[in-house]
Amino acid sequence: MTISDKQVVEFQTKLLSWYKENGRHFPWRNKSATNYQKIVSEVLLQRTKAVTIAKFFPKFIRKYPSWKQLGNATEEELQESLRPIGLYKQRGSRLFKLAQELKKRKGRFPKERSEVEELPMMGQYITNAYELFILKKSSPLLDVNMARVIERYFGQRKLSDIRYDPYLQDLAHKLVTSINSYEINWAIIDFAASICKARDPKCPMCSLNKNCKFITQLP
DNA sequence: AACTCGGGGCT
DNA sequence: AGCCCAGAGTT
């Protein structure tokens, strides 16, 4: 089951067009956002609604403006700071470990992707975000949202875990390549959040519903 | 491959 | 009352 370039281009074009009218705006997407803010925002966004983090983010950044300040916080302090957004014990410990690691490295990440991905809290998704925003590579923000859109439109994944499914990984990478990678990534995620939702997707008003595998299977 | 972490928001 | 949310680490 191969996917043609034509399908890919149509997908990209329609979504970018949708995004220009309906894209969301968040502080971590601003030009002025620091590399630190971009990584931290991805940590906060894990399994947590972006709108929730939009309200929480400014407070957190005021409290911990850089890796240096974050590195001075204790593990318990970080956990307590994260309590309002959930997953606070695990996420607090892991963020603490990452902060300590970057303290040692003076705020510098390793060069190789494989080394970055070995750092605490830097999993498959955040490492992709690191490549996209900091190394300026065209890597996909392949989370549950992007995975859902891809699977509905192009077809189901093979493995249960997004991280290890080469079909999803390869296709996601292809979808965000050859154009403005920031925009297409954000377009897919915003589209997933407001149109191609997990529950109650807005298929009737979807600009991609003509060639979508999902809608053609509806009763 | 399956499980756990978690408060908040929406239905 | 139930479901979902810009995942990662462990078993």
Side-chain angles (χ1 to χ4, degrees):
Chain A
M1 195 266 299
T2 67
I3 290 150
S4 69
D5 290 346
K6 187 177 170 183
Q7 283 177 287
V8 170
V9 170
E10 175 173 355
F11 181 87
Q12 292 171 327
T13 308
K14 291 270 179 63
L15 273 183
L16 284 176
S17 169
W18 177 88
Y19 177 74
K20 284 182 173 39
E21 300 293 328
N22 307 100
R24 300 180 295 178
H25 299 278
F26 295 117
W28 51 90
R29 290 186 185 179
N30 289 344
K31 280 293 215 178
S32 59
T34 64
N35 287 348
Y36 164 75
Q37 291 173 2
K38 288 172 186 171
I39 299 299
V40 166
S41 68
E42 298 297 349
V43 173
L44 303 182
L45 285 163
Q46 289 182 355
R47 304 292 297 162
T48 313
K49 281 198 169 57
V51 177
T52 302
I53 300 306
K55 286 178 276 188
F56 179 81
F57 188 71
K59 287 183 287 187
F60 190 86
I61 293 300
R62 259 199 303 281
K63 194 166 184 180
Y64 309 108
S66 71
W67 287 118
K68 184 172 174 59
Q69 334 280 336
L70 197 67
N72 289 333
T74 66
E75 186 170 3
E76 292 74 17
E77 189 183 332
L78 277 185
Q79 289 175 332
E80 202 53 37
S81 296
L82 295 178
R83 184 192 282 274
I85 60 171
L87 300 174
Y88 57 96
K89 281 196 234 169
Q90 281 190 354
R91 189 152 47 171
S93 296
R94 289 166 188 173
L95 185 56
F96 173 77
K97 286 176 187 162
L98 177 60
Q100 294 306 305
E101 188 64 34
L102 263 76
K103 195 178 192 176
K104 280 192 285 185
R105 299 171 173 275
K106 302 183 178 181
R108 300 265 177 208
F109 283 86
K111 294 221 187 311
E112 294 300 320
R113 184 205 159 94
S114 58
E115 297 180 52
V116 173
E117 204 167 356
E118 283 175 11
L119 297 177
M121 189 91 264
M122 297 295 291
Q124 198 270 341
Y125 169 85
I126 299 192
T127 305
N128 274 5
Y130 172 81
E131 287 187 323
L132 175 66
F133 296 123
I134 298 176
L135 301 184
K136 315 293 185 191
K137 296 177 65 176
S138 53
S139 298
L141 298 175
L142 180 53
D143 65 339
V144 288
N145 294 296
M146 185 178 293
R148 184 177 60 252
V149 174
I150 290 176
E151 292 189 81
R152 282 180 175 167
Y153 191 78
F154 294 103
Q156 289 286 320
R157 74 183 82 167
K158 316 302 173 196
L159 306 181
S160 65
D161 196 322
I162 294 172
R163 293 171 288 186
Y164 310 125
D165 187 325
Y167 159 76
L168 275 182
Q169 295 289 338
D170 295 346
L171 183 48
H173 197 275
K174 188 170 183 177
L175 291 175
V176 301
T177 303
S178 81
I179 32 178
N180 186 324
S181 289
Y182 286 8
E183 282 203 2
I184 188 65
N185 266 296
W186 290 333
I188 296 172
I189 286 182
D190 289 356
F191 176 79
S194 43
I195 303 292
C196 196
K197 303 190 293 181
R199 273 186 307 173
D200 189 27
K202 307 300 182 190
C203 298
M205 64 173 68
C206 174
S207 51
L208 283 171
N209 63 12
K210 292 291 175 291
N211 299 316
C212 178
K213 285 196 174 180
F214 181 72
I215 194 169
T216 59
Q217 289 168 7
L218 290 179

